[in-house]
Amino acid sequence: MLDIIKVIILGIVEGITEWLPVSSTGHLILVGDLLQPNLSDAFMEMFNVVIQLGAIMAVVVLYFHKLNPFSPKKTKKQKLLTWQMWIKVLIASVPAAVVGLLFNDYLDAIFYKPLPVAVMLIVYGVLFIIVENRNKHVRPKVTKISELSVQMLIWIGVFQMLALIPGTSRSGATIVGALMIGISRGVAAEFTFFLAIPVMFGASFLKLIGFGLSFTAKEAGLLLLGCVVSFGVSIVAIKFLMGYIKKHDFKVFGYYRIALGAVIIIAAIVQMIIA
């Protein structure tokens, strides 16, 4: 029963932090260290990635019409634009896909720890504040996904690749990259949602294969529960973020990241002194 409660908490954390630019993996690592569910390290490492499938399904549900190139309600031109959007998503996914396939285990071994998470939280928190201050009186060059050029897609893809380091935040990295090249907040956030679909399905598939699909009944049930909870919470989080950025910038998330990163570093120093 205790592990069920802990998995529900982790599902809530995933649903909130996957779409807010504050690093879902980083928060899952930190909260997991605090909760310490009675599950193997190998299972928890896989769980922290595969639970994102629930969050992804929230995007599919909320944006199904926009994502569906076969919708009978769309004109021929709208269907063509939808196909073009998917091509852009795939182009921007290439850098993270290549690096993830080649170096995923290596990156996990080095960075899947609280201190690297703290550093990346702070670095990207500072970037958010700098970029938003720079863009304060600048009109965005791109206000529609259809206006994204190949060069912009590659730039966004490189920033998403950097998010393979826990604590960076996939949404945070891609949004920062998009803002830096003059893309509006709304387009940056929405394209980030769509970009998550192939990336997260691919990452989850790799983790499931790596784990060996050898689940106990308890593990399978807890994984499904985590996905369901993250799906429900993600629906709320996505709607909140899209409403929030219509009137506000991303600096508040930058300040939050810096504060959280500082707390983690202080806690690590105190722990070393006590030990």
Side-chain angles (χ1 to χ4, degrees), residues 80-98:
L80 178 61
L81 287 173
T82 305
W83 281 116
Q84 289 175 348
M85 181 196 72
W86 275 111
I87 291 170
K88 290 180 179 185
V89 166
L90 292 176
I91 291 171
S93 299
V94 170
V98 172

Side-chain angles (χ1 to χ4, degrees), residues 10-156:
L10 289 170
I12 293 170
V13 170
E14 164 62 23
I16 294 172
T17 60
E18 183 59 55
W19 308 112
L20 305 185
V22 294
S23 176
S24 62
T25 303
H27 278 76
L28 287 172
I29 292 171
L30 298 171
V31 175
D33 283 349
L34 289 173
L35 296 177
Q36 295 187 336
N38 187 28
L39 298 160
S40 70
D41 290 342
F43 175 80
M44 288 308 301
E45 185 179 323
M46 178 275 298
F47 175 90
N48 286 346
V49 175
V50 178
I51 193 177
Q52 296 171 343
L53 288 177
I56 274 302
M57 289 310 298
V59 173
V60 174
V61 169
L62 286 174
Y63 290 94
F64 184 75
H65 177 70
K66 196 163 191 174
L67 293 168
N68 182 13
F70 303 105
S71 173
K73 296 180 180 179
K74 288 184 175 179
T75 63
K76 186 176 289 187
K77 182 180 179 181
Q78 288 173 327
K79 289 178 181 179
L80 178 61
L81 287 173
T82 305
W83 281 116
Q84 289 175 348
M85 181 196 72
W86 275 111
I87 291 170
K88 290 180 179 185
V89 166
L90 292 176
I91 291 171
S93 299
V94 170
V98 172
V99 173
L101 284 169
L102 294 175
F103 302 107
N104 185 60
D105 292 340
Y106 178 75
L107 291 170
D108 280 353
I110 294 177
F111 297 110
Y112 214 80
K113 300 164 188 173
L115 197 54
V117 167
V119 172
M120 297 313 294
L121 281 168
I122 292 171
V123 168
Y124 276 83
V126 171
L127 272 176
F128 262 120
I129 295 168
I130 291 173
V131 172
E132 284 288 20
N133 283 337
R134 189 201 69 176
N135 290 354
K136 194 171 184 180
H137 301 294
V138 178
R139 290 175 62 89
K141 300 174 188 174
V142 173
T143 56
K144 297 177 183 177
I145 289 178
S146 59
E147 296 171 352
L148 292 172
S149 67
V150 173
Q151 292 89 340
M152 288 177 171
L153 296 172
I154 293 171
W155 175 263
I156 293 170

